[in-house]
């Protein structure tokens, strides 16, 4: 391909040729994983496109289809699995300038794909509403990026994740010489969720809103991790509304260096963002359970420490550390049994960090866990994953950029069918849906390794 076709569409100032000038668009947070950092080291691109409107975005898509050029969509690049890094050159399309709030209505907000979620939240709050869920990176993340590459975040402790009816509808362009607009609503949205922009080019995102609340950040500290884990499970399962309940084992908590002055060495902590009207109720619950509460400092914001931010702090403290994502049992006793087994088998290695979500009334403890001191990373990781699965946990592998390996996609046939219709030439983010990239390089797909480990 030549860059001139896209320069003619957008102007030279909106097209960045491949090479050093495009390097900023070839980075994300996949370096959290030593496996991905190595696998994506040679990522390159022919050009970065920066459209300013849906019309320009559609023109880029049509031209790419005519030229049969691979297309990778990108927002703020906050993903952890290489979602927005191209595996087969082509063009990266940065949608951040295709932004704006289209409509706010009771229970829903409609935005353009590049709209930053903080702007979305601000627009919702101006009407007395808030986003049901938003990523902890909401200050920079885009709506399309969250839908395509995220899963949950702030608000999850009350409203679940993307799959819990929090994405009401999307509109997308097909990748054809004459792109069609396809609207998906309700359950039909599911194939687009967390499939890395492999299905279609999002042009409109409609997210669920709930009544706005005022929130107060607090630290909850205990001297016994199982007691803290049980308290957190009870808290999220109870009637005190929290937008966040992020639990950290003491060794991992000590790595959250900007806030370690808020708790004592050796304390296990939960970072809680609670409805301000229920702060005293929360304090009473903590005291009754044998813990203590600590008021949050004015800065930094509590959103800088939960979810995958924890892995960033762990990598700063232990540069050779890695991570794992998993889901514990929802039932309280089974959850605490898993917590105890991991502490016994991997003390000081599997640093338990648990985020809580509630889906359809079920409490879901989600592990986003720093791993410290694994001797031989890939072999030790396979052993650890097998141990977790043996406990009945679900493991979501963050060391693969293949959609299926992440563990979020349910009906793969539905995903493939929609992709076949919307991306007939297979140009959208090729290599991410299926094991093609691994097998083409003679590597064993992670899925095959997992099967072998279970035999």
């Amino acid at each position: 391909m030549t860059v001139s076709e896209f320069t003619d569409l957008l102007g030279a100032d909106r097209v960045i040729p491949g090479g050093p000038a495009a390097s900023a668009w070839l980075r994300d947070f996949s370096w959290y994983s030593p496996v991905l950092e190595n696998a994506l080291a040679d990522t390159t691109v022919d050009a970065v496109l920066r459209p300013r409107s849906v019309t320009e975005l559609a023109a880029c898509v049509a031209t790419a289809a005519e030229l049969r050029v691979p297309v990778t969509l990108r927002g703020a690049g906050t993903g952890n699995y290489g979602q927005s890094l191209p595996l087969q050159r082509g063009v990266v399309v940065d949608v951040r300038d295709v932004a704006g709030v289209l409509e706010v209505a009771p229970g829903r907000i409609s935005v353009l794909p590049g709209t930053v979620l903080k702007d979305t939240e601000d627009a919702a709050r101006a009407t007395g509403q808030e986003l049901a869920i938003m990523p902890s990176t909401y200050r920079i993340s885009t709506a399309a990026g969250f839908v395509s590459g995220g899963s949950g975040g702030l608000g999850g402790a009350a409203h679940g994740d993307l799959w819990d009816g929090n994405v009401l509808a999307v509109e997308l362009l097909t990748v054809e010489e004459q792109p069609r607009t396809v609207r998906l609503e309700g359950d039909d949205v599911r194939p687009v969720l967390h499939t890395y922009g492999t299905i279609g080019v999002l042009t409109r995102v409609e997210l669920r809103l709930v009544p706005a609340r005022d929130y107060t950040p607090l630290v909850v500290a205990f001297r016994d991790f199982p007691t803290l884990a049980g308290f957190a499970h009870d808290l999220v399962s109870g009637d005190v509304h929290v937008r966040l309940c992020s639990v950290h084992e003491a060794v991992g908590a000590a790595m959250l260096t900007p806030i370690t002055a808020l708790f004592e060495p050796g304390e296990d902590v939960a970072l809680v963002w609670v409805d301000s009207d229920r702060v005293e109720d929360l304090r009473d619950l903590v005291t009754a359970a044998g813990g203590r509460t600590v008021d949050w400092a004015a800065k930094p914001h509590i959103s800088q420490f939960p979810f995958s931010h924890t892995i960033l702090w762990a990598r700063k403290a232990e540069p050779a550390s890695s991570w794992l994502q998993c889901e514990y049992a929802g039932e309280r006793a089974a959850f605490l049994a898993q917590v105890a087994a991991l502490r016994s088998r991997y003390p000081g290695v599997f640093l338990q960090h648990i985020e809580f979500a509630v889906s359809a009334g079920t409490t879901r403890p989600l592990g986003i866990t720093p791993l410290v001191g694994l001797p031989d990373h890939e072999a030790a990781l396979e052993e650890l994953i097998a141990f977790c699965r043996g406990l009945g946990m679900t493991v979501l592998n963050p060391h693969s950029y293949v959609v299926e390996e992440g563990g979020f996609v349910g009906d793969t046939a539905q995903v493939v069918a929609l992709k076949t219709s919307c991306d007939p030439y297979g140009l959208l983010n090729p290599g991410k849906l299926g094991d093609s990239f691994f097998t083409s390089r003679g590597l064993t797909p992670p899925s095959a390794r997992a099967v072998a480990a279970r035999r």
Side-chain angles (χ1 to χ4, degrees):
M1 63 163 277
T2 63
V3 176
S4 61
E5 291 91 340
F6 296 102
T7 302
D8 291 342
L9 288 175
L10 303 177
D13 62 323
R14 310 300 294 184
V15 178
I16 297 92
S23 61
W25 284 267
L26 298 176
R27 302 191 195 106
D28 66 357
F29 287 84
S30 55
W31 59 268
Y32 281 1
S33 163
V35 178
L36 286 181
E37 186 175 29
N38 178 62
L40 296 168
D42 59 354
T43 297
T44 187
V45 67
D46 293 307
V48 175
L49 313 181
R50 300 174 60 218
R52 289 157 290 200
S53 66
V54 171
T55 299
E56 288 188 347
L57 179 58
C60 292
V61 170
T63 300
E66 291 170 3
L67 299 174
R68 303 295 193 268
V69 171
V71 178
T72 303
L73 280 300
R74 180 182 174 95
T78 60
N80 304 318
Y81 323 112
Q83 296 102 309
S84 61
L85 301 187
L87 301 180
Q88 298 181 19
R89 300 183 67 92
V91 295
V92 167
V93 181
D94 181 342
V95 302
R96 285 178 292 177
D97 290 336
V98 187
V101 175
L102 298 172
E103 181 184 8
V104 185
R108 109 192 274 127
I109 186 167
S110 304
V111 298
L112 292 171
T115 309
V116 173
L117 286 159
K118 183 181 185 304
D119 296 336
T120 308
E121 170 84 345
D122 289 346
R125 283 192 167 269
T127 69
Q129 302 180 91
E130 67 185 28
L131 287 167
I133 61 168
M134 61 184 182
S136 56
T137 53
Y138 70 97
R139 295 175 184 273
I140 59 173
S141 292
T142 63
F146 181 40
V147 168
S148 301
S151 57
L154 304 173
H159 306 297
D161 55 28
L162 290 175
W163 293 266
D164 289 309
N166 292 312
V167 182
L168 302 176
V170 298
E171 291 180 3
L172 54 83
L173 295 172
T174 62
V175 184
E176 300 172 287
E177 293 86 346
Q178 295 183 0
R180 296 172 287 119
T181 297
V182 175
R183 182 174 175 84
L184 304 171
E185 299 180 350
D187 285 345
D188 290 340
V189 169
R190 288 179 174 269
V192 176
L193 305 181
H194 201 78
T195 48
Y196 305 176
T198 57
I199 306 301
V201 178
L202 293 178
T203 57
R204 182 184 180 104
V205 177
E206 300 181 14
L207 301 171
R208 183 163 80 98
L209 301 181
V210 295
R213 300 172 187 250
D214 181 66
Y215 295 96
T216 297
L218 292 170
V219 174
V220 171
F222 283 78
R223 284 285 179 179
D224 179 71
F225 187 74
T227 301
L228 171 61
F231 172 83
H233 193 286
D234 292 340
L235 174 65
V236 174
S237 302
D239 66 355
V240 174
H241 182 91
V242 294
R243 203 176 195 188
L244 170 72
C245 182
S246 178
V247 172
H248 302 257
E249 197 170 7
V251 177
M255 297 175 175
L256 308 178
T257 51
I259 59 170
T260 51
L262 296 177
F263 45 89
E264 299 294 329
E267 284 188 314
D268 307 289
V269 303
L271 313 181
V272 180
W273 212 12
V274 60
D275 185 334
S276 297
D277 291 337
R278 302 300 302 273
V279 168
E280 294 310 314
D281 294 329
L282 174 61
R283 292 189 195 276
D284 290 344
L285 290 172
V286 172
T287 300
R292 70 187 187 100
T293 56
V294 185
D295 292 339
W296 192 270
K299 291 182 179 180
H301 196 271
I302 195 170
S303 62
Q304 299 302 305
F305 302 95
F307 297 97
S308 298
H309 292 279
T310 298
I311 309 306
L312 175 62
W313 296 112
R315 286 296 301 265
K316 288 183 176 180
E318 294 284 348
S321 67
S322 183
W323 68 309
L324 190 68
Q325 289 179 279
C326 55
E327 182 164 347
Y328 296 74
E331 193 273 323
R332 188 181 190 277
F335 161 58
L336 293 179
Q338 292 168 340
V339 167
L342 285 163
R343 283 171 62 81
S344 175
R345 176 65 180 84
Y346 288 103
V349 174
F350 192 101
L351 307 184
Q352 295 191 67
H353 159 218
I354 303 164
E355 302 289 341
F356 284 86
V358 174
S359 298
T362 299
T363 299
R364 299 170 56 207
L366 309 171
I368 304 177
T369 304
L371 304 176
V372 177
L374 290 180
D376 170 35
H377 189 80
E378 290 206 41
L381 183 64
E382 294 290 358
E383 178 184 329
L384 190 153
I385 288 173
F387 180 79
C388 291
R389 287 178 171 147
L391 296 177
M393 300 171 70
T394 300
V395 177
L396 310 174
N397 186 359
H399 302 282
S400 171
Y401 43 68
V402 175
V403 167
E404 298 93 324
E405 289 296 329
F408 289 96
V409 178
D411 187 348
T412 306
Q414 184 185 14
V415 172
V416 172
L418 186 59
K419 180 175 175 64
T420 301
S421 171
C422 295
D423 182 23
Y425 307 125
L427 299 177
L428 278 175
N429 213 352
K432 300 289 178 61
L433 190 62
D435 281 336
S436 59
F437 184 63
F438 284 92
T439 55
S440 68
R441 296 199 170 197
L443 302 176
T444 304
S447 55
R449 292 203 305 270
V451 169
R454 289 195 291 270
R455 287 176 181 160

